[in-house]
Amino acid sequence: MKKITIVGAGLAGSLLSVYLAKKGFEVNVYERRSDMRKSSKGGGKSINLALSTRGIHALKEVGLYDEIKKIAIPMYGRMIHPVEGDLSFQRYGKDDSEYINAVSRADLNISLMELAERNPGVKIHFNERCSGIDFKNSEINFHNELTGETTLVKSDIVIATDGATSAVRMEMQKIPRFNFAQHYENYGYKELIIPSGEDGSFLMEKNALHIWPRGSFMLIALPNPDGSYTCTLFLAYDHSLGEENSFEYLNTEERADTFFKKQFPDAYKMIPEFKKEFFNNPTGTLMTVKCFPWIYEDRIALLGDACHAIVPFFGQGMNAAFEDCTCLNDCIDKYGTDWKKVFNEYQKQRKINSDAIADLAQENFIEMRDLVSDKEFLFRKKIETELYKKYPDTFIPKYSMVTFSRIPYSVALQRGKIQEEILKELCAEADSRESIDYGKAEKLINNRLEKLL
Amino acid sequence: MKKITIVGAGLAGSLLSVYLAKKGFEVNVYERRSDMRKSSKGGGKSINLALSTRGIHALKEVGLYDEIKKIAIPMYGRMIHPVEGDLSFQRYGKDDSEYINAVSRADLNISLMELAERNPGVKIHFNERCSGIDFKNSEINFHNELTGETTLVKSDIVIATDGATSAVRMEMQKIPRFNFAQHYENYGYKELIIPSGEDGSFLMEKNALHIWPRGSFMLIALPNPDGSYTCTLFLAYDHSLGEENSFEYLNTEERADTFFKKQFPDAYKMIPEFKKEFFNNPTGTLMTVKCFPWIYEDRIALLGDACHAIVPFFGQGMNAAFEDCTCLNDCIDKYGTDWKKVFNEYQKQRKINSDAIADLAQENFIEMRDLVSDKEFLFRKKIETELYKKYPDTFIPKYSMVTFSRIPYSVALQRGKIQEEILKELCAEADSRESIDYGKAEKLINNRLEKLL
């Protein structure tokens, strides 16, 4: 049986090690950071995640979903917080059976590592930084961050799950004809905490993803099991037009405080340590990574953020990486250890869909920060829901295709665009803001959508 | 006076060292390769280049143009070689005063290095590979490829001119919010030699750039002073549709020979060593690099291919890099040693123009390999020349703006697009393939172009 090296024991690497161990491979996982079970959690990334259908499918395949379900909080929709006025709730799915799950990145990662290590075929090595790779001979140098020692690891197969700033990919970039792009948004994010109320009670609706849409920026909040919420402020770094809504401008406690109090009055009251957190917490970056090829001959492959980091606005980064693992596992089912075929098929299936979710995630930022409080948009959403009820197999809202199904992302992107056109056409022609021409709707749906799924 | 380190003694680095030495700076240039004056020439890159107005302007500024003029061969236009039938000549400029210059990369580089070293302020260190950089402290490690020794070089200012695969840029990529993209065409190139005739005579027209346009691929040839021509075959690596016109398909001597004989019958007769050269010469790649920012605080800057490698189809790679040097020199004239201002102004002026020439170069590939033998295109070219004669200050052909002027590339791109629209409109309405409505032409030119230059 071939010896497999996985670079990175984050969410994707840990899950992948379980999939591969279940197939009987000997798997060594090398992780740059220290064991998060023994030291601080998180490693600089966002604290909680939205687990949805694609991720759940993978967790079910490795037998971990029942355990994760216990620590996950269902979120049935968006709770919109305007500057003034009442909150409004926008359901994500068709009913309470469709929801996304707030889950702690650290808890999920730890569960996956523990599951992996229960397998005798898996060993996780911590504090091991990839410091060089010889593609021709599948040899990797790992530099131990504690001892300073360097180990040369030779294996048959290497899979790099070392994230958006992947060291393996960076070496791959030197190989001729490797296409690569890393693009940073002019937006950063800042995490802030709304603590729980007395006795661990939730200060807002527990089972919702809270959004404060403000056009060019937004605040969101996800619930944690202890009654607190992790808020994330998404804000431009700077504005070429000299606007004040930017991290650059909010460089004094007074400015930050004034801004936050004015824009998010209800949230402001619930964040007692606002000024401290705003200036002590780091400002995170938002990057999209695209590259091709993802594989080197029949020996080395990239997976997850290492080859397709995306912005977080569709909550699909982890779900997409987990779907990579599911796909690779399916390819091994199909082609056994003919790794050339396995890797080629994996790359063929996943590259197109990763490109699609990257675009979908960028689109969704505009929807979240701006459109969710727009009247035209809300009317279209209402009609979308009605059409979905009438044509549940044909007219599936883009959000549902991405979040509550395993329809390939590329299909969701393509059908989503067509549906958007249909909705715009129908809503523009609607006499009132109440209803549309359903006869025409049926014709448009039949003509433009039927054949695609 | 501040100490400046230049990484890379290629065309851009050598020229820049002269510009800076003339301003009185102490300049150390570190070059990865050995001294090309003592060993083999070229270093894997294409053998000859097309020097035009922007490059000439820079060479004049440093006082080297008269010397280079002696070794350059004027090319007044394109000589088109169809598969069958007569050759046709397409002039580049308005008359014999406008031409591009075939010049040997190695000879030009050597002249620049010699000019640099005549300056007591400049020292070029060979065989020194940049193996790491500390941006905060402007410290670079150079690894000597001969002795194996590593030297730590600290300087006030670092300018990286280390080419398309820049080591400095690769380190810069790790800095948050550094945007980067490297894109390879699905085309490679292969150099082949047409030797001189008896007594060093030229076997084809000497003062032309020869093109064999074939739609999806092409051959070109530039004259050398010894009577030979350097030919370059541009061909797809592979074809998803399984076509035969690809390097992948031409994997046997018989296939390559049959292909070349059929497609380029006149060239085939002039390349005696075709099979040997086709299989012994490497296949070069074609890459476009874009990144931002180009600078790190007031200490480090990228210049030339290191920040904007482009495809060679407009013959502007070197010319654009030389224009970077001219611009940086102008910025120093303006801001002295306020390097923050110097670098910011340099970046502001050059980034937009580098993006433009990258697009222009990709467009020109289609023109060269396909359109130059298209009848509609030739009619538009004819009308373009006529309009240029009538409105020499307003309607300047895109090729002329790029090649025979120092109009910013971004302006050339923008005006080129408008002119193309005007030409298409006028030519589509032309009664015959003979002439157009000049009254309408004047109106269109006045309305759409007047205000832009």
Side-chain angles (χ1 to χ4, degrees):
Chain A
M1 212 61 181
K2 296 224 170 182
K3 199 176 146 189
I4 300 179
T5 297
I6 293 177
V7 184
L11 294 166
S14 301
L15 173 67
L16 182 65
S17 72
V18 179
Y19 264 122
L20 294 174
K22 284 167 82 84
K23 290 226 172 322
F25 292 104
E26 184 192 334
V27 183
N28 282 281
V29 188
Y30 292 83
E31 167 58 42
R32 181 175 55 82
R33 287 171 290 180
S34 58
D35 189 343
M36 53 162 54
R37 291 163 295 188
K38 294 173 189 160
S39 57
S40 71
K41 288 182 178 184
K45 290 213 187 157
S46 69
I47 295 172
N48 42 23
L49 300 159
L51 175 68
S52 56
T53 298
R54 294 163 208 267
I56 290 170
H57 177 81
L59 293 178
K60 281 181 179 167
E61 286 201 327
V62 298
L64 196 65
Y65 183 56
D66 289 340
E67 188 180 322
I68 298 303
K69 208 172 157 61
K70 290 176 199 152
I71 55 167
I73 301 177
M75 299 184 288
Y76 298 105
R78 296 166 174 160
M79 187 66 82
I80 310 295
H81 297 241
V83 180
E84 289 178 341
D86 297 337
L87 306 189
S88 63
F89 181 75
Q90 294 174 10
R91 183 173 285 285
Y92 280 133
K94 56 180 185 293
D95 55 36
D96 270 3
S97 72
E98 291 186 334
Y99 53 85
I100 59 175
N101 301 273
V103 63
S104 147
R105 172 190 290 273
D107 290 346
L108 180 54
N109 208 338
I110 287 170
S111 294
L112 282 166
M113 288 196 294
E114 283 174 352
L115 178 64
E117 287 182 338
R118 284 204 287 276
N119 247 295
V122 178
K123 173 132 185 55
I124 308 179
H125 311 260
F126 292 97
N127 307 300
E128 297 283 355
R129 178 170 58 79
C130 168
S131 60
I133 178 161
D134 173 348
F135 285 92
K136 287 234 153 60
N137 299 303
S138 314
E139 288 176 350
I140 310 187
N141 275 306
F142 289 103
H143 175 88
N144 190 293
E145 302 277 37
L146 300 181
T147 65
E149 277 169 31
T150 295
T151 317
L152 182 73
V153 174
K154 184 160 175 62
S155 39
D156 304 298
I157 301 295
V158 175
I159 302 174
T161 55
D162 51 347
T165 59
S166 170
V168 175
R169 184 195 68 224
M170 196 157 241
E171 288 295 312
M172 218 155 167
Q173 211 181 298
K174 297 173 187 166
I175 298 174
R177 300 183 63 200
F178 183 76
N179 286 333
F180 172 72
Q182 63 181 42
H183 172 78
Y184 284 91
E185 303 297 316
N186 183 28
Y187 276 83
Y189 69 89
K190 182 81 76 177
E191 290 187 335
L192 305 163
I193 299 294
I194 296 180
S196 65
E198 285 178 28
D199 308 325
S201 65
F202 287 87
L203 293 180
M204 306 185 289
E205 167 60 43
K206 174 185 176 186
N207 296 111
L209 191 153
H210 295 263
I211 309 187
W212 290 256
R214 295 296 182 265
S216 69
F217 57 96
M218 70 173 179
L219 181 72
I220 66 167
L222 277 76
N224 296 315
D226 67 358
S228 68
Y229 294 83
T230 308
C231 303
T232 312
L233 171 66
F234 294 94
L235 184 69
Y237 279 104
D238 49 55
H239 274 295
S240 46
L241 299 173
E243 287 179 49
E244 297 185 357
N245 302 325
S246 66
F247 280 111
E248 190 177 71
Y249 181 76
L250 303 183
N251 59 356
T252 68
E253 288 204 349
E254 198 194 331
R255 282 182 178 181
D257 205 61
T258 305
F259 165 82
F260 207 82
K261 194 191 285 186
K262 181 182 160 198
Q263 295 292 348
F264 314 111
D266 58 340
Y268 180 79
K269 287 178 199 152
M270 294 183 280
I271 305 176
E273 302 279 3
F274 170 73
K275 279 186 272 191
K276 194 175 139 193
E277 288 186 348
F278 189 86
F279 287 100
N280 286 359
N281 293 353
T283 306
T285 58
L286 298 166
M287 175 164 60
T288 299
V289 166
K290 291 185 181 179
C291 64
F292 194 82
W294 289 5
I295 60 181
Y296 180 83
E297 297 182 351
D298 58 348
R299 296 195 297 282
I300 296 166
L302 307 173
L303 185 146
D305 280 4
C307 43
H308 55 81
I310 59 176
V311 293
F313 304 110
F314 224 125
Q316 287 293 315
M318 170 188 64
N319 290 290
F322 281 13
E323 200 170 53
D324 286 353
C325 298
T326 304
C327 173
L328 190 64
N329 188 57
D330 290 347
C331 293
I332 298 171
D333 281 342
K334 194 168 167 191
Y335 296 113
T337 52
D338 184 340
W339 289 97
K340 200 177 175 79
K341 281 190 182 157
V342 167
F343 280 174
N344 269 312
E345 180 71 17
Y346 154 75
Q347 172 177 264
K348 192 182 159 197
Q349 285 194 28
R350 297 305 296 162
K351 169 62 179 167
I352 183 176
N353 288 308
S354 305
D355 284 349
I357 190 61
D359 293 350
L360 287 160
Q362 274 171 332
E363 284 173 20
N364 217 45
F365 186 26
I366 298 163
E367 177 165 329
M368 286 178 84
R369 72 179 197 237
D370 203 356
L371 298 178
V372 286
S373 57
D374 177 89
K375 274 184 188 165
E376 286 294 319
F377 173 82
L378 293 175
F379 180 55
R380 283 207 300 275
K381 277 276 156 188
K382 188 188 137 199
I383 301 303
E384 183 182 53
T385 307
E386 283 173 21
L387 291 176
Y388 181 28
K389 277 182 189 156
K390 277 176 97 86
Y391 310 98
D393 301 321
T394 323
F395 198 95
I396 310 169
K398 182 174 79 175
Y399 188 89
S400 297
M401 285 189 281
V402 170
T403 309
F404 303 125
S405 88
R406 294 175 56 226
I407 293 170
Y409 289 129
S410 55
V411 175
L413 178 67
Q414 191 187 9
R415 290 181 76 87
K417 280 195 179 130
I418 297 168
Q419 292 174 180
E420 190 65 19
E421 282 164 22
I422 292 175
L423 283 170
K424 279 193 177 154
E425 208 170 316
L426 293 170
C427 293
E429 290 171 4
D431 287 347
S432 65
R433 298 293 77 161
E434 293 301 318
S435 190
I436 55 150
D437 177 346
Y438 282 96
K440 184 168 182 185
E442 177 147 357
K443 268 186 209 159
L444 289 177
I445 290 170
N446 281 344
N447 288 343
R448 298 194 201 164
L449 281 169
E450 200 89 86
K451 289 172 192 161
L452 273 165
L453 263 189
Chain B
M1 211 62 183
K2 297 224 171 183
K3 198 178 146 186
I4 300 179
T5 297
I6 294 177
V7 184
L11 295 166
S14 301
L15 173 66
L16 183 65
S17 72
V18 179
Y19 264 121
L20 294 173
K22 283 167 82 86
K23 292 225 170 323
F25 292 105
E26 184 192 334
V27 183
N28 282 281
V29 188
Y30 293 83
E31 166 58 42
R32 180 173 56 79
R33 287 170 292 179
S34 57
D35 189 343
M36 51 164 50
R37 291 165 292 189
K38 294 173 189 160
S39 55
S40 71
K41 289 183 178 184
K45 291 209 186 161
S46 70
I47 295 172
N48 43 22
L49 300 159
L51 174 69
S52 56
T53 298
R54 295 162 207 268
I56 289 169
H57 177 81
L59 292 179
K60 282 182 179 167
E61 286 202 327
V62 298
L64 196 64
Y65 183 57
D66 289 339
E67 187 179 324
I68 298 302
K69 208 171 156 59
K70 289 177 202 154
I71 55 167
I73 301 176
M75 299 183 287
Y76 298 104
R78 297 165 173 159
M79 187 67 80
I80 311 295
H81 297 240
V83 180
E84 289 178 342
D86 295 336
L87 305 189
S88 62
F89 180 74
Q90 296 174 9
R91 183 173 286 285
Y92 282 133
K94 57 181 185 296
D95 55 37
D96 270 3
S97 71
E98 290 186 334
Y99 53 84
I100 59 176
N101 301 274
V103 62
S104 147
R105 172 189 290 274
D107 289 345
L108 180 53
N109 208 339
I110 287 170
S111 293
L112 282 165
M113 289 195 294
E114 283 174 354
L115 179 63
E117 286 181 341
R118 283 204 287 275
N119 246 295
V122 179
K123 173 135 183 57
I124 308 178
H125 311 260
F126 292 97
N127 307 299
E128 297 282 353
R129 179 170 58 80
C130 168
S131 60
I133 178 162
D134 173 348
F135 286 92
K136 287 231 153 57
N137 299 302
S138 314
E139 289 175 351
I140 311 187
N141 275 307
F142 289 102
H143 175 89
N144 189 293
E145 302 277 38
L146 298 182
T147 65
E149 276 170 31
T150 296
T151 317
L152 182 72
V153 175
K154 185 159 173 64
S155 40
D156 304 298
I157 301 294
V158 175
I159 302 174
T161 54
D162 50 347
T165 60
S166 169
V168 175
R169 184 195 68 224
M170 196 156 240
E171 288 296 310
M172 219 158 168
Q173 209 181 299
K174 297 173 187 167
I175 299 174
R177 301 182 65 201
F178 182 77
N179 286 332
F180 173 71
Q182 63 181 40
H183 171 78
Y184 284 92
E185 303 297 317
N186 183 29
Y187 277 84
Y189 69 88
K190 181 83 74 178
E191 290 187 337
L192 304 162
I193 299 292
I194 295 180
S196 64
E198 279 178 34
D199 307 324
S201 64
F202 288 87
L203 293 180
M204 306 184 290
E205 167 61 43
K206 174 185 176 185
N207 295 110
L209 192 153
H210 295 263
I211 310 186
W212 290 255
R214 297 294 182 266
S216 68
F217 57 95
M218 70 174 179
L219 180 73
I220 66 167
L222 276 77
N224 296 315
D226 66 358
S228 68
Y229 293 83
T230 307
C231 302
T232 312
L233 170 67
F234 294 95
L235 183 68
Y237 280 104
D238 47 55
H239 273 293
S240 47
L241 299 173
E243 286 179 49
E244 296 185 359
N245 302 327
S246 66
F247 281 112
E248 191 177 71
Y249 181 75
L250 304 183
N251 59 356
T252 66
E253 288 204 348
E254 198 194 330
R255 282 182 178 180
D257 204 61
T258 305
F259 165 83
F260 207 83
K261 194 190 288 186
K262 182 181 159 197
Q263 295 291 348
F264 313 111
D266 57 340
Y268 181 79
K269 287 180 201 152
M270 294 183 279
I271 305 177
E273 302 279 1
F274 170 72
K275 279 187 271 191
K276 193 175 140 194
E277 288 186 349
F278 189 86
F279 287 99
N280 286 359
N281 293 355
T283 307
T285 58
L286 299 166
M287 176 162 61
T288 300
V289 166
K290 291 185 180 178
C291 64
F292 194 83
W294 288 5
I295 60 181
Y296 180 84
E297 298 181 352
D298 59 348
R299 295 194 297 282
I300 297 166
L302 306 174
L303 186 145
D305 280 3
C307 43
H308 55 81
I310 59 177
V311 293
F313 304 111
F314 224 125
Q316 287 293 315
M318 170 188 66
N319 290 290
F322 280 13
E323 200 170 54
D324 286 353
C325 297
T326 305
C327 173
L328 190 66
N329 188 58
D330 290 347
C331 293
I332 299 169
D333 281 341
K334 193 168 170 190
Y335 296 113
T337 54
D338 184 341
W339 289 97
K340 201 179 174 77
K341 282 190 182 155
V342 168
F343 280 175
N344 269 311
E345 180 71 16
Y346 155 74
Q347 173 177 261
K348 191 181 159 198
Q349 285 192 29
R350 297 305 296 161
K351 169 63 178 166
I352 183 178
N353 289 308
S354 304
D355 284 350
I357 190 60
D359 294 351
L360 286 160
Q362 274 172 332
E363 285 172 20
N364 218 44
F365 186 24
I366 298 163
E367 178 166 328
M368 285 178 85
R369 73 180 197 237
D370 203 355
L371 298 179
V372 284
S373 57
D374 177 270
K375 275 186 187 166
E376 286 295 319
F377 172 82
L378 293 175
F379 180 54
R380 284 207 298 277
K381 277 277 157 188
K382 186 188 138 197
I383 301 303
E384 184 183 52
T385 306
E386 283 174 20
L387 291 175
Y388 181 30
K389 278 183 190 159
K390 276 176 97 87
Y391 310 100
D393 301 322
T394 323
F395 198 95
I396 309 168
K398 182 173 80 175
Y399 188 88
S400 296
M401 286 190 279
V402 170
T403 309
F404 303 125
S405 89
R406 294 176 56 227
I407 295 170
Y409 289 129
S410 55
V411 176
L413 178 66
Q414 192 188 8
R415 291 181 75 88
K417 279 192 181 132
I418 298 168
Q419 291 174 180
E420 189 66 20
E421 282 164 21
I422 293 175
L423 283 171
K424 277 191 179 156
E425 211 170 313
L426 293 171
C427 292
E429 290 170 4
D431 287 345
S432 64
R433 296 297 77 161
E434 294 301 318
S435 190
I436 54 151
D437 177 346
Y438 282 95
K440 184 169 180 185
E442 177 146 358
K443 268 186 207 158
L444 289 176
I445 289 169
N446 282 344
N447 287 343
R448 300 194 199 162
L449 280 169
E450 199 90 88
K451 287 171 192 161
L452 274 165
L453 261 190

